[in-house]
Amino acid sequence: MIRLRTGLAALFSAIFVLALILLLPLRFALGWFDLDRTGFAARAASGSVWGGSLREAQLGSIALGDVDAALSPWALLAGRARLALEGHPSGTGRALHGAVSVSRHSVGIEQMTAGVPVGDAFAPLPITAIDLDDVSVRFVDGRCERAEGRVKATLGGDIAGITLGQGLAGAARCDAGALLLPLVSQAGTEQVTVRLWDSGRFRAEFLAKPSDAAAAQKLERSGFQHMPNGYLLSVEGKF
């Protein structure tokens, strides 16, 4: 009888611990697994850590809207927290699919595909949205170690008379410890180079090569600096 009671107590304890793990609320997990290191946050969370939902989620200052979220048990076994996300960011028609990931020494996003509005983060540059196509970025001990995928910037207006309705696009990569997004227009005469550090700080540079003197004068009146390779406008901020 003593052996049976001990066995039952151990069994009930194991079931209790397993139930706690399986029913762990998502809102607790966001803090416990230190996911805020990625800049990821949400106004409210509901459901379990293995299948819940987040209301008004955001990555830095970029709004992701309401998304479904699930923690990967396999990534936990490897020593990192990986939160898979699915949803539709507010103000865009493109579905969001991907994940944010964090471990003791690294943070990043994995295979992220989405169209996300950026508000006035890049003002005075009229970049209104960023499209991500299977983008993965990993920072290790504060330095960009790996970056891949296609990025496109959508502009909601013109810059000193330059209209870029087709946007600017390029491939993500790492450069000197920062995430580098070298985005170029279809004509190749305009480019936006964005550098982003793991702290959320960024620097965006818009370089234009005007075709005539009138366009060059308009760029100068708009705050562009004359450089050997064109006219440059720099913006710094933090997401």
Side-chain angles (χ1 to χ4, degrees):
M1 289 293 295
I2 295 177
R3 186 175 302 168
L4 179 60
R5 287 175 181 170
T6 302
L8 285 175
L11 177 62
F12 287 137
S13 296
I15 292 174
F16 179 71
V17 171
L18 181 61
L20 284 178
I21 294 174
L22 292 176
L23 300 176
L24 180 66
L26 181 60
R27 64 180 183 275
F28 292 152
L30 294 180
W32 286 356
F33 294 111
D34 204 18
L35 286 167
D36 57 350
R37 283 177 52 205
T38 65
F40 183 78
R43 182 175 294 276
S46 60
S48 81
V49 70
W50 311 116
S53 60
L54 300 170
R55 185 164 61 86
E56 296 183 30
Q58 62 185 61
L59 191 60
S61 61
I62 298 176
L64 301 179
D66 298 338
V67 297
D68 295 329
L71 198 68
S72 168
W74 313 115
L76 286 178
L77 293 176
R80 63 189 177 92
R82 183 183 188 275
L83 191 68
L85 305 174
E86 299 276 352
H88 286 82
S90 304
T92 70
R94 192 177 186 190
L96 179 150
H97 172 80
V100 294
S101 178
V102 60
S103 68
R104 182 178 180 183
H105 295 286
S106 68
V107 296
I109 60 174
E110 299 180 7
Q111 298 175 307
M112 187 71 74
T113 295
V116 292
V118 296
D120 60 354
F122 292 102
L125 300 181
I127 298 176
T128 57
I130 297 289
D131 286 340
L132 307 178
D133 189 2
D134 200 25
V135 173
S136 294
V137 180
R138 186 185 184 198
F139 285 91
V140 178
D141 292 330
R143 294 181 58 83
C144 183
E145 181 183 80
R146 181 176 67 89
E148 59 187 12
R150 193 77 176 166
V151 179
K152 180 180 178 181
T154 301
L155 280 71
D158 66 82
I159 304 175
I162 300 174
T163 302
L164 299 169
Q166 299 301 315
L168 304 96
R173 67 175 190 265
C174 294
D175 179 66
L179 169 63
L180 178 64
L181 306 178
L183 311 178
V184 184
S185 68
Q186 286 189 334
T189 53
E190 297 86 19
Q191 64 185 60
V192 172
T193 303
V194 180
R195 282 181 171 81
L196 177 66
W197 290 266
D198 77 324
S199 63
R201 183 172 64 89
F202 73 86
R203 179 179 177 85
E205 298 179 338
F206 184 96
L207 181 67
K209 300 175 183 179
S211 58
D212 54 58
Q217 291 176 1
K218 187 176 292 186
L219 288 170
E220 288 184 336
R221 289 196 298 269
S222 298
F224 282 73
Q225 294 182 331
H226 187 199
M227 307 294 286
N229 56 341
Y231 287 79
L232 181 71
L233 178 65
S234 299
V235 177
E236 294 189 14
K238 188 172 184 178
F239 284 113

